[in-house]
Amino acid sequence: MTSNLGEIEAGMGSVENEEKVDRLNNLSREINIRNPKKALALAEEAYALSKKRNYTWGIARSLLMMSYANRSLSNYDGCMINALDAMAIFRELGDQEGEMRALNLIGINYFYFSRYEQALEYFGESLRFAQEIQNEELQASTLNNIGEIYRELEKYSEALENYNKALVISEKINKIYNVAVIRMNIGHIYNSLGQNENALNGYEESLKISEKIGDHISKGEVLNTIGQVYEKLGQKEIALEYYLQSLNILRKYENKFYQVDVLLNLGSYYAKEGRYKEGLDFLQKALMMAEEATANKKIYTVHAYLAQYHEERGDLAQALYHYKIYRDMEKKVITDNLEEKLKILTIEYQVDKIQKESEINLLKNIELKQKNEDIESKAEQLEAINKELQKEILKRKELQEQLEQVNKELERMSFVDELTGIPNRRSFNNTLEKEWNRCLREGVPLSLIFVDVDYFKNFNDYFGHPMGDDCLRDVAKTLTNTLKRSSDFIGRHGGEEFAIILPNTDYAGSIVIAEQMREAIENLEINHPQSHAGRNITISMGVANVVPSKESSIYELIEAADRELYHAKNQGRNRVCGVEI
């Protein structure tokens, strides 16, 4: 039927209006999984036509189909409004099946917003209706939904009980698509319990059915989950094969939402294998895909992966960048969810109020008074819940302020060398660029000194790394104490190398300071039996001085200082060599 959608739609032009409404809604329901946008458009067309013809049952069913489509599009606000409106009309018409389907959708919305008690209440009412009218398909669907709630609450035995009931019914009535979904859900339970063999059995059964009915999206999702189980079992090559199969299928059918999960698994997989470039490539693709799908929760999850990746690689700047985005987006998602909860409460109140107002003329005075009391009670409940939500938002803001303080401290730490406590190379790069530009504006000289601890590797090998670390700390402290001006800068350049920046200092002055530093280190008398420059720890220093101009560059200054350090080491070490550019 769906293979020639245009032909079917074209044939509707001559159909009577009410029949056309029914056909539009039937078509919307059938294509919803594959094309929810088109399904929504068809249901909206049916709704407009039903309103025009005052076709009440058509209005209710169109609202129900719009709710299904909005659910598939993750538009839970619209899904809830449509389901509530449909439920009210079906109830008025006495259509139990329609009311039951609407109740099930309302329960699903509560589930998405983690309001499990309310979700169970609606699912329970839907299940009661389904059992009364002996609708086994809806019984199975509702039991599966109840199982999902218990799985989220980590009540796995209750979840399995409901899944198995749903499975028995679905197999009995040959609802193959439902069987595939339930098998996958059962696999999730065993996966959570660490029962890998049972998990694989569930997933592989789901995979077989998905392949049989041509449900490619479910197939891609299941392949990815099977890959996760094999990776957990240590069977890496098999896991990788499943991940890649999943990615190829999801790419072919352009499902960006589930592609993100697969790309994250591949990024993590390659990073664990030490293939960092490939791992980073997959993580960056996951971020791009999540952004294209505007899936905020997935976007901040990818940023969390990238923060961890860069932190493990030692790139604190990139780690901090992704971590800040992750925290900001996580806060936004939490706030959005709170706002959605408040919207749903408001919608419920408004719909309930409308229903009560429509019954006014039919109620006796005593009944009217009771109904009004119910409305006032619900209004009070809504106000109380609203206050709680406001408190929760305020609490989130306080947590965000604390997070910002932590971020500031992390940013400060990213400019400090962990071992010596002095500025690190990143701080050196920033300071040198800033001082170069200032000296360029003021037309004053700038000196750069590179310092290298002589034969430090021999010291480390002889005494061990702990004493080597102590030595570097002593050297850093002594060099720092030699500098007298607040504008002078010292930082660790890497390993046993240090860098000193002396703004507004001429060549002669920088040579004097360098000699003072060299003598101060020598006077520490740190024993170094493996040195070829003396019995104690010594340093070699390269000095470069320049008056910055538009014709000169900062890189010339760095190269000159590095070259002079090389000369000092070549001439026997424990000495200062310098040049005036």
Side-chain angles (χ1 to χ4, degrees):
M1 193 223 86
T2 56
S3 62
N4 200 346
L5 182 59
E7 183 178 326
I8 291 173
E9 288 182 280
M12 289 184 180
S14 59
V15 180
E16 288 297 321
N17 284 337
E18 289 187 1
E19 185 181 352
K20 182 176 181 180
V21 167
D22 295 341
R23 291 185 64 180
L24 284 168
N25 281 325
N26 290 339
L27 184 56
S28 172
R29 186 74 176 106
E30 185 170 347
I31 69 169
N32 179 52
I33 293 175
R34 291 178 291 278
N35 193 344
K37 285 186 179 179
K38 182 64 177 176
L40 180 60
L42 291 170
E44 287 174 340
E45 183 182 350
Y47 176 78
L49 190 56
S50 298
K51 292 279 284 185
K52 185 178 179 181
R53 299 289 297 175
N54 199 26
Y55 179 28
T56 307
W57 189 80
I59 292 172
R61 190 151 184 266
S62 299
L63 286 166
L64 190 68
M65 295 306 108
M66 288 161 65
S67 185
Y68 280 126
N70 276 314
R71 175 197 174 190
S72 298
L73 292 167
S74 302
N75 179 11
Y76 303 123
D77 189 2
C79 178
M80 182 63 119
I81 293 171
N82 297 148
L84 285 165
D85 289 342
M87 181 187 71
I89 299 172
F90 281 130
R91 184 172 289 173
E92 186 176 330
L93 292 172
D95 186 337
Q96 283 189 318
E97 181 173 340
E99 184 179 355
M100 172 184 56
R101 291 182 185 276
L103 285 166
N104 198 38
L105 280 166
I106 294 167
I108 289 168
N109 274 275
Y110 278 123
F111 172 79
Y112 286 143
F113 288 103
S114 304
R115 295 179 61 194
Y116 301 128
E117 184 177 348
Q118 292 89 337
L120 277 172
E121 181 181 341
Y122 278 94
F123 286 148
E125 192 171 355
S126 175
L127 182 60
R128 181 178 60 80
F129 272 144
Q131 290 169 339
E132 281 181 7
I133 65 174
Q134 298 181 346
N135 187 315
E136 293 182 309
E137 178 186 354
L138 279 169
Q139 285 182 51
S141 176
T142 307
L143 285 165
N144 180 63
N145 291 336
I146 293 171
E148 287 287 84
I149 292 178
Y150 283 122
R151 181 161 69 90
E152 283 295 316
L153 295 172
E154 298 183 355
K155 294 185 175 181
Y156 297 130
S157 59
E158 291 90 341
L160 277 174
E161 180 181 351
N162 281 280
Y163 285 148
N164 284 324
K165 287 179 181 177
L167 183 62
V168 169
I169 295 171
S170 296
E171 288 179 337
K172 174 187 171 185
I173 62 176
N174 200 32
K175 282 292 176 181
I176 303 300
Y177 174 80
N178 287 354
V179 172
V181 172
I182 297 165
R183 289 283 186 191
M184 182 167 61
N185 288 337
I186 290 172
H188 291 331
I189 292 287
Y190 288 124
N191 196 7
S192 299
L193 292 170
Q195 298 180 24
N196 299 318
E197 185 175 347
N198 288 334
L200 284 174
N201 287 338
Y203 291 144
E204 286 168 357
E205 284 293 324
S206 178
L207 181 61
K208 288 177 185 175
I209 297 169
S210 297
E211 289 175 334
K212 182 178 179 180
I213 64 177
D215 185 354
H216 305 292
I217 304 304
S218 293
K219 180 181 176 182
E221 184 185 1
V222 175
L223 285 168
N224 181 46
T225 314
I226 293 173
Q228 289 176 308
V229 177
Y230 277 116
E231 187 173 6
K232 191 164 59 173
L233 289 169
Q235 299 184 40
K236 300 175 183 177
E237 292 181 1
I238 297 176
L240 179 60
E241 183 179 344
Y242 276 100
Y243 289 150
L244 293 175
Q245 283 185 50
S246 172
L247 185 60
N248 288 335
I249 289 170
L250 295 172
R251 275 179 175 167
K252 182 177 179 181
Y253 293 95
E254 300 180 350
N255 185 291
K256 296 177 182 178
F257 193 81
Y258 289 124
Q259 276 187 64
V260 176
D261 297 331
V262 187
L263 290 166
L264 279 176
N265 286 336
L266 284 166
S268 175
Y269 175 92
Y270 281 113
K272 289 175 187 174
E273 292 299 301
R275 295 164 66 175
Y276 301 120
K277 187 177 183 303
E278 291 167 89
L280 180 59
D281 183 53
F282 278 111
L283 291 177
Q284 288 172 337
K285 286 178 181 176
L287 180 58
M288 180 182 69
M289 196 68 65
E291 288 172 342
E292 287 179 2
T294 61
N296 286 339
K297 192 170 182 181
K298 288 188 182 292
I299 292 171
Y300 79 68
T301 301
V302 179
H303 279 292
Y305 271 71
L306 284 165
Q308 182 181 354
Y309 172 89
H310 287 296
E311 184 179 2
E312 290 174 355
R313 305 284 78 71
D315 189 346
L316 294 180
Q318 281 294 312
L320 182 61
Y321 167 77
H322 287 290
Y323 181 73
K324 287 178 75 174
I325 296 177
Y326 158 68
R327 294 302 296 170
D328 289 342
M329 291 204 68
E330 184 185 47
K331 176 195 171 189
K332 182 180 183 303
V333 169
I334 290 169
T335 303
D336 288 347
N337 283 345
L338 290 174
E339 290 174 354
E340 287 296 326
K341 288 180 183 178
L342 186 58
K343 280 182 185 177
I344 288 177
L345 287 169
T346 304
I347 291 164
E348 285 182 302
Y349 172 68
Q350 290 172 345
V351 171
D352 191 67
K353 186 177 179 181
I354 291 168
Q355 290 175 343
K356 300 299 182 291
E357 289 174 352
S358 68
E359 296 171 1
I360 288 175
N361 294 328
L362 302 175
L363 297 173
K364 295 179 181 179
N365 289 337
I366 187 169
E367 291 174 332
L368 177 60
K369 182 180 176 181
Q370 183 62 49
K371 293 291 181 180
N372 285 335
E373 287 175 357
D374 290 344
I375 291 173
E376 289 173 5
S377 174
K378 286 204 171 186
E380 288 172 2
Q381 291 174 20
L382 177 62
E383 185 178 357
I385 292 170
N386 191 18
K387 286 179 180 178
E388 287 299 315
L389 288 173
Q390 293 300 327
K391 286 180 184 178
E392 191 171 347
I393 290 171
L394 182 60
K395 183 179 177 182
R396 295 291 177 186
K397 286 181 179 177
E398 290 173 356
L399 289 172
Q400 181 64 20
E401 288 172 2
Q402 293 174 16
L403 176 63
E404 286 171 0
Q405 289 299 321
V406 171
N407 284 341
K408 287 178 182 178
E409 180 62 17
L410 285 172
E411 188 169 5
R412 185 194 67 79
M413 290 172 63
S414 71
F415 285 93
V416 176
D417 178 57
E418 184 179 355
L419 175 64
T420 62
I422 65 173
N424 60 14
R425 183 163 185 167
R426 183 183 179 196
S427 181
F428 162 74
N429 291 336
N430 291 345
T431 303
L432 182 59
E433 184 176 359
K434 180 182 70 176
E435 293 297 344
W436 175 276
N437 291 330
R438 187 170 68 82
C439 291
L440 176 64
R441 287 195 307 272
E442 297 175 4
V444 296
L446 175 65
S447 290
L448 174 63
I449 304 173
F450 281 151
V451 180
D452 187 82
V453 180
D454 295 328
Y455 300 106
F456 182 73
K457 183 179 183 304
N458 295 351
F459 185 92
N460 245 353
D461 293 343
Y462 187 79
F463 288 109
H465 288 287
M467 285 192 67
D469 291 347
D470 289 341
C471 175
L472 289 177
R473 279 190 282 266
D474 289 340
V475 170
K477 183 179 179 182
T478 303
L479 294 176
T480 302
N481 291 339
T482 307
L483 298 174
K484 305 302 180 187
R485 301 182 304 177
S486 60
S487 60
D488 294 340
F489 172 92
I490 178 170
R492 188 177 178 195
H493 201 246
E496 65 270 23
E497 293 183 5
F498 298 87
I500 295 99
I501 302 171
L502 304 174
N504 200 11
T505 305
D506 60 18
Y507 176 70
S510 59
I511 292 293
V512 169
I513 293 171
E515 282 292 349
Q516 289 173 352
M517 288 181 167
R518 189 193 63 76
E519 290 173 6
I521 298 303
E522 199 169 29
N523 291 336
L524 287 175
E525 296 185 350
I526 300 172
N527 183 33
H528 188 354
Q530 298 298 310
S531 174
H532 302 300
R535 293 184 303 169
N536 298 322
I537 282 289
T538 59
I539 58 175
S540 298
M541 310 179 75
V543 180
N545 179 268
V546 68
V547 177
S549 66
K550 292 182 179 179
E551 289 73 30
S552 60
S553 79
I554 196 170
Y555 303 107
E556 292 175 6
L557 180 65
I558 293 170
E559 289 174 0
D562 192 55
R563 190 166 53 247
E564 292 307 309
L565 174 61
Y566 177 78
H567 290 159
K569 292 164 76 172
N570 252 14
Q571 293 174 24
R573 310 199 185 209
N574 190 21
R575 67 190 66 242
V576 176
C577 288
V579 64
E580 188 173 10
I581 303 173

